[in-house]
């Protein structure tokens, strides 16, 4: 028997997709996007006999935000939000000192998984502004992009809406748009020296593989839920701000009684009940996050 016959077969390169964000707090829209990608990729991964990992990638603190909640709280809420789902959490960014830029993270992921298909998930609002990100136009040198169309955006009046939406992207990225998510799962053939480079210039060239860098625009509309809006609602709720249309007792007031706290947990006000996983909402109340007092 030859030595070749004795060697175990190498597993096929995995498919890995990442949804980045502050998740402050994580809401149903985040999970909806990640699950939509998972459900679309699963039959492709099964047909190709490849492992599939769809992960939430919480950042340490967005360079566009002046403050974020403690990483331990955001991570705990993420774990609650994905219970019972096939999703993962990748802690690559969350413990790093800010600012941490997406371009640095995708470079790290490409070095970590040189042969895998890597996909970065985002909304069209983010994709349209990639030319304003730190080296944002270079993301497709390392990963594919899966772009979701937001339900607050006007639908192009054309027979091929996806083709029309590609012109919303920065000009250098428009030619990378593909009509099929299968294009984002093609195995990437990387030179063997990428794992042990001796010259940084060679490593950089190896990472820029022509098989990467496709962009798929997903026309399924996802709810445009905003973590900022949720935080503001929770702060208004904590003040008992009747002007905001909330006539229930403040759930985050420093003088909150045990009875009112239990009532808040058992009966989250609308629209929080629609936006937040109940376990995440309970965590917010229990740890007194996003109160008006927190920002005084």
């Amino acid at each position: 028997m030859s030595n070749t016959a004795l060697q175990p077969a190498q597993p096929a390169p995995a498919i890995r997709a990442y949804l980045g964000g502050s998740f402050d707090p994580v809401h149903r829209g985040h999970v909806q996007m990640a699950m939509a990608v998972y459900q679309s990729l699963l039959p492709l991964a099964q047909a190709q006999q490849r492992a599939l990992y769809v992960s939430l990638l919480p950042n340490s603190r967005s360079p566009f935000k002046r403050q974020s909640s403690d990483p331990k709280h955001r991570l705990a809420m993420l774990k609650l939000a994905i219970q019972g789902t096939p999703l993962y959490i990748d802690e690559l960014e969350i413990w790093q000192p800010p600012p941490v830029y997406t371009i640095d993270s995708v470079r790290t992921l490409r070095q970590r998984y040189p042969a895998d298909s890597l996909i970065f998930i985002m909304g069209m609002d983010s994709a349209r502004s990639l030319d304003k990100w730190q080296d944002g136009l270079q993301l497709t040198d390392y990963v594919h992009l899966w772009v979701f169309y937001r339900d607050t955006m006007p639908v192009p009046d054309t027979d091929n809406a996806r083709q029309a939406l590609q012109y919303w992207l920065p000009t250098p990225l428009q030619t990378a748009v593909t009509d099929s998510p299968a294009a984002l799962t093609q195995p990437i053939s990387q030179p063997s020296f990428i794992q042990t480079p001796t010259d940084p210039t060679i490593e950089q060239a190896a990472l820029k593989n022509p098989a990467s860098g496709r962009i798929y625009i997903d026309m399924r509309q996802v709810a445009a839920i905003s973590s900022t809006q949720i935080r503001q609602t929770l702060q208004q709720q904590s003040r008992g701000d009747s002007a905001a249309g909330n006539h229930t007792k403040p759930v985050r007031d420093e003088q909150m009684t045990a009875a009112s706290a239990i009532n808040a947990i058992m009966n989250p006000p609308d629209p929080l009940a629609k936006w937040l996983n109940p376990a995440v909402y309970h965590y917010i109340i229990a740890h007194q996050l996003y109160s008006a007092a927190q920002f005084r």
Side-chain angles (χ1 to χ4, degrees), residues 235 238-239 252-254 291-296:
Q235 290 171 45
S238 75
R239 292 192 297 262
R252 288 302 321 285
D253 191 277
E254 295 172 311
S291 68
Q294 182 181 359
F295 298 95
R296 287 174 187 161

Side-chain angles (χ1 to χ4, degrees), residues 44-215:
L44 295 171
Q46 292 174 334
Q48 299 173 21
Q49 297 184 324
R50 299 169 65 184
L52 172 62
Y53 305 95
V54 178
S55 303
L56 302 181
L57 183 69
N59 58 30
S60 59
R61 180 175 65 79
S62 168
F64 300 108
K65 298 177 182 177
R66 288 181 290 182
Q67 60 184 0
S68 295
S69 298
D70 190 314
K72 71 178 183 181
H73 288 312
R74 292 188 288 118
L75 186 58
M77 288 187 286
L78 279 172
K79 291 177 179 179
L80 292 171
I82 67 169
Q83 283 183 350
T85 77
L87 305 178
Y88 294 83
I89 299 171
D90 192 304
E91 299 181 24
L92 170 65
E93 295 185 356
I94 195 168
W95 303 116
Q96 297 185 48
V100 178
Y101 296 102
T102 301
I103 187 63
D104 297 323
S105 296
V106 299
R107 285 171 177 154
T108 298
L109 290 170
R110 174 51 65 202
Q111 292 170 329
R112 183 189 292 177
Y113 306 114
D116 291 357
S117 299
L118 303 184
I119 302 168
F120 202 80
I121 308 164
M122 64 179 63
M124 178 59 80
D125 50 345
S126 294
R128 295 177 73 176
S129 63
L130 281 176
D131 53 348
K132 299 178 176 62
W133 290 27
Q134 178 79 12
D135 296 328
L137 297 181
Q138 296 180 25
L139 291 183
T140 50
D141 291 341
Y142 307 94
V143 296
H144 304 292
L145 300 181
W146 190 302
V147 178
F148 274 95
Y149 174 68
R150 298 286 193 182
D151 64 1
T152 56
M153 295 179 174
V155 179
D157 186 14
T158 175
D159 293 336
N160 192 337
R162 181 179 290 112
Q163 185 176 21
L165 286 173
Q166 78 180 65
Y167 297 106
W168 291 15
L169 299 172
T171 302
L173 300 180
Q174 293 174 4
T175 57
V177 172
T178 177
D179 288 335
S180 171
L184 280 59
T185 68
Q186 297 303 311
I188 297 174
S189 176
Q190 295 285 354
S192 59
F193 61 74
I194 189 173
Q195 296 181 358
T196 56
T198 57
D199 183 339
T201 304
I202 294 178
E203 178 186 17
Q204 181 75 1
L207 291 173
K208 295 187 177 183
N209 188 284
S212 65
R214 304 297 293 172
I215 301 174

